[in-house]
Amino acid sequence: MRRTRGRWFHGAMANPVILTVDDDPVVSRAVARDVRRRYGDRYRVLRASSGPEALDALREVKLRGEQVALLLADHRMPEMTGVEFLEAAMDIFPAARRVLLTAYADTDAAIEAINVVDLDHYLLKPWHPPEEKLYPVVDGLLEAWAATPDAASAEIRVVGHRWSAPSFKVRDFLARNLVPYRWLLSDDPEGVRLLDAAGATEADVPLVVTPEGKALIAPSEAELAALAGLTVVPASDFYDLVVIGGGPAGLGSAVYGASEGLRTVLVERRATGGQAGQSSRIENYLGFPDGVSGAQLTDRARRQAVKFGAELLSAREVVGLSEAGGARLLRFGDGSEIAAHTVVLATGVSYRVLDAPGLADLTGRGVFYGAAATEAPSCVEQDVYIVGGANSAGQAAVHFSRYASRVHLLIRGADLTASMSRYLIDQLERIDRITVHPHTAVVGGAGEGHLERLTLCDTRTGEARSVDTSWLFIFIGAEPRTDWLDGVLVRDERGFIVTGPDLLAGGRRPAGWSLSRDPYHLETSVPGVFAAGDVRAESVKRVASAVGEGAMAVSLVHRYLEAQ
Ligand SMILES: Cc1cc2nc3c(=O)[nH]c(=O)nc-3n(C[C@H](O)[C@H](O)[C@H](O)COP(=O)(O)OP(=O)(O)OC[C@H]3O[C@@H](n4cnc5c(N)ncnc54)[C@H](O)[C@@H]3O)c2cc1C
């Protein structure tokens, strides 16, 4: 054991889970017995008799901060088929390996499932002897799982206060980067033990303990990224393409850039997925008729980009862009630089701050911007308030209604029709626990150490009332954070980046434009620098269009490089 600022120590951690689901009790017992015999010393084998029961078990495992390595599901089950179960399970444990148990007659369903749920394998029943037909498959899958970040960081533990903004930031960072961790309150017996062992006190939280037993007190995001196995240092100092921003547009560019042979690096300041990564269910993205969670879409896109050879840097913010001859230089927050022939700016938008007395001090302590999915299980049986009338707020209301006793959606207008998609309005209307409050604004918040009360105001009459709550989630208009590009390229009055034909005011090319052609469609006023997705002026603020623009930007990158 080694010592650092805290200490190195070891704690007893639960083994990762293998879950088997089968409605036939005889088969179910046999599967669990075979699996337990071979893997029982390293894995905890759980058994469920239906899809819903298995999903409940998975949620419980998730809440305890434990890991699931493998799911073995029978296909033909009455309440929910194996494929349906595996699809739902992917939302909870996207990295768990998935196996479908089928009868010979169901092989078509199994083959179809390879696409629907990224099935790793299907096993024909019966599989006897297991030494030949079951174990070799499971050995391979467990090995593949053990190589994922989920397994590598399966035992990160975070000790913090329920209402501490720095504790929330650590959990939010890990959750958004899909890094599993176990959350412990500083007054939990295990939390107390970890604090003691690290030589820390309650005043030092958040404390982060790595699987190897290294303790970090209030680590920075870069430290967290490094300990979670995320890449923070670029492998090279020159690239064909640097993509800034890891939302759908940036991930789209990284996938297309790398797959088409460009040396590509994507730089993300927080967590890949961007806004879409916060979405509990994206229902209108092409190819996912049953919807897809932002976490799942991000996980797939990230793996796809890496598979094609793109480098993904996390917890690195780009703060400067300049030209040096034919190269574009990008400066990071710590002053270091990388260079590239071309750049795609895919920095998206962030929520505007709700400016009401008391809220700023309570941010991260009951007041949250965006979905803050990590908080949902803590809202059980409580009243939750959500501000905003767009799809993002609607999705959050649906998501939180699974936990909260009542979800109050506050909107300034008379109804949601102008701002929210019809399918979501219909969903909200079907959920009894959700109440929409029209003509309502939040004008204040208060509480000792965390949010306890909100002051709401009727926007027509000005009449104010106070409500008791510990939870406020804010989804109001978003703005691009592009101040660092001021004076470098043309932006509109709200900070969105102007591209292509929109740069040709009165038929004139932008000031400083050095080429004898007009800017390409997504090109900014700096040749070779493109913008894609929500950050681009006049773009459609949707996942599909962001991905599409990310891909299109890469084809324009090729056109630019060919002309050089
Ligand atoms: C909760 C929620 C639900 C939504 N649901 C839907 C839906 O159902 N359907 C739909 O079509 N759309 C939906 N949207 C909108 C959709 O998510 C966005 O249109 C889409 O994510 C835009 O993608 P983007 O890549 O352009 O930007 P973003 O998703 O905003 O990603 C930008 C990324 O760039 C990073 N970044 C910013 N500046 C820097 C910098 N200087 N250096 C490094 N990194 C930087 C940010 O951290 C961020 O990760 C939803 C949005 C939200 C918030």
Side-chain angles (χ1 to χ4, degrees):
M1 281 198 262
R2 284 189 280 144
R3 287 174 71 95
T4 59
R5 191 172 155 207
R7 285 195 191 155
W8 292 73
F9 51 91
H10 297 294
M13 296 300 303
N15 285 334
V17 166
I18 297 177
L19 176 70
T20 70
V21 199
D22 202 309
D23 62 315
D24 179 331
V26 178
V27 181
S28 174
R29 263 197 304 278
V31 184
R33 184 201 56 222
D34 286 347
V35 173
R36 214 168 263 136
R37 184 147 56 87
R38 168 103 162 192
Y39 306 101
D41 57 335
R42 287 161 292 146
Y43 293 86
R44 198 151 67 88
V45 181
L46 299 181
R47 184 153 76 87
S49 58
S50 71
E53 187 189 319
L55 288 175
D56 280 346
L58 288 182
R59 285 189 198 104
E60 216 181 295
V61 172
K62 185 83 184 176
L63 285 178
R64 280 205 299 263
E66 292 165 16
Q67 284 312 301
V68 175
L70 180 68
L71 302 164
L72 285 157
D74 182 38
H75 180 54
R76 283 202 187 184
M77 295 187 287
E79 278 175 87
M80 191 182 223
T81 67
V83 174
E84 285 165 349
F85 158 71
L86 290 173
E87 197 179 0
M90 278 167 80
D91 282 349
I92 310 173
F93 286 102
R97 302 289 104 188
R98 294 175 276 273
V99 176
L100 197 66
L101 305 177
T102 56
Y104 186 71
D106 290 328
T107 46
D108 282 352
I111 290 164
E112 200 187 315
I114 290 175
N115 293 324
V116 178
V117 295
D118 252 358
L119 192 69
D120 291 297
H121 214 94
Y122 66 90
L123 283 175
L124 288 180
K125 294 191 285 189
W127 54 81
H128 281 287
E131 282 71 15
E132 271 175 38
K133 300 205 172 134
L134 178 69
Y135 298 153
V137 171
V138 172
D139 283 351
L141 293 176
L142 291 177
E143 203 175 300
W145 178 79
T148 61
D150 267 31
S153 51
E155 296 168 355
I156 288 180
R157 283 158 291 172
V158 180
V159 185
H161 283 305
R162 167 68 286 188
W163 298 114
S164 140
S167 299
F168 167 71
K169 273 186 88 172
V170 166
R171 296 165 61 205
D172 195 47
F173 180 85
L174 293 175
R176 286 194 192 196
N177 278 293
L178 310 180
V179 178
Y181 63 90
R182 188 196 290 206
W183 164 241
L184 297 158
L185 290 175
S186 51
D187 52 5
D188 269 356
E190 195 180 345
V192 171
R193 190 181 65 74
L194 287 174
L195 282 172
D196 278 355
T201 69
E202 266 201 89
D204 297 321
V205 299
L207 168 75
V208 177
V209 183
T210 70
E212 302 78 30
K214 182 181 176 189
L216 293 169
I217 291 166
S220 67
E221 288 193 346
E223 284 176 310
L224 277 178
L227 79 79
L230 302 167
T231 308
V232 287
V233 179
S236 167
D237 53 11
F238 198 93
Y239 293 85
D240 294 323
L241 170 63
V242 176
V243 180
I244 309 175
L251 285 166
S253 285
V255 166
Y256 283 89
S259 70
E260 292 168 14
L262 299 174
R263 278 168 303 156
T264 304
V265 63
L266 180 149
V267 186
E268 166 54 51
R269 71 172 169 204
R270 289 213 75 209
T272 44
Q275 298 167 71
Q278 295 178 38
S279 170
S280 44
R281 199 120 205 114
I282 300 166
E283 307 250 14
N284 54 2
Y285 187 55
L286 188 73
F288 291 89
D290 304 317
V292 57
S293 75
Q296 203 181 107
L297 193 64
T298 302
D299 177 57
R300 287 175 177 221
R302 202 162 72 169
R303 282 194 283 135
Q304 206 171 6
V306 169
K307 180 185 87 176
F308 285 124
E311 215 180 301
L312 305 188
L313 298 187
S314 302
R316 298 301 302 267
E317 180 163 15
V318 177
V319 297
L321 166 67
S322 55
E323 290 181 82
R328 315 278 163 259
L329 293 183
L330 297 153
R331 199 174 69 255
F332 292 115
D334 64 359
S336 60
E337 285 184 334
I338 50 173
H341 289 303
T342 59
V343 175
V344 173
L345 296 164
T347 51
V349 295
S350 312
Y351 287 109
R352 269 207 327 267
V353 172
L354 178 53
D355 191 15
L359 294 188
D361 287 346
L362 298 169
T363 301
R365 293 186 285 144
V367 175
F368 302 93
Y369 286 87
T374 43
E375 300 307 298
S378 308
C379 302
V380 171
E381 298 304 320
Q382 300 185 47
D383 274 25
V384 165
Y385 285 76
I386 294 176
V387 183
N391 282 4
S392 49
Q395 285 176 9
V398 172
H399 183 62
F400 281 102
S401 71
R402 297 188 191 119
Y403 300 88
S405 56
R406 180 143 299 280
V407 175
H408 303 267
L409 186 60
L410 313 179
I411 56 170
R412 284 181 162 271
D415 60 39
L416 292 164
T417 46
S419 53
M420 196 177 284
S421 300
R422 188 68 242 174
Y423 79 87
L424 258 180
I425 299 178
D426 293 343
Q427 263 184 40
L428 296 184
E429 283 169 357
R430 285 197 298 269
I431 302 174
D432 289 344
R433 289 179 179 205
I434 299 177
T435 311
V436 179
H437 299 265
H439 304 293
T440 307
V442 174
V443 293
E448 283 298 314
H450 68 92
L451 179 69
E452 290 172 327
R453 274 177 314 285
L454 286 175
T455 311
L456 308 181
C457 162
D458 185 315
T459 53
R460 292 161 304 181
T461 61
E463 193 184 325
R465 66 189 168 100
S466 175
V467 292
D468 290 339
T469 184
S470 300
W471 304 102
L472 175 67
F473 296 91
I474 301 167
F475 294 82
I476 54 171
E479 54 191 11
R481 301 266 163 84
T482 54
D483 291 352
W484 60 282
L485 292 166
D486 188 33
V488 179
L489 43 74
V490 176
R491 300 178 302 149
D492 70 9
E493 64 290 345
R494 291 161 65 206
F496 289 97
I497 299 172
V498 182
T499 56
D502 294 342
L503 286 164
L504 303 175
R508 272 176 293 111
R509 290 176 182 151
W513 182 260
S514 53
L515 305 181
S516 57
R517 60 164 175 83
D518 289 346
Y520 296 138
H521 191 64
L522 301 179
E523 200 167 23
T524 69
S525 58
V526 177
V529 176
F530 300 82
D534 280 15
V535 75
R536 199 176 68 78
E538 307 300 330
S539 65
V540 178
K541 310 300 187 241
R542 286 280 183 271
V543 176
S545 48
V547 173
E549 288 195 3
M552 183 177 165
V554 170
S555 74
L556 298 173
V557 161
H558 284 299
R559 206 188 287 179
Y560 170 85
L561 289 173
E562 279 157 21
Q564 291 306 296

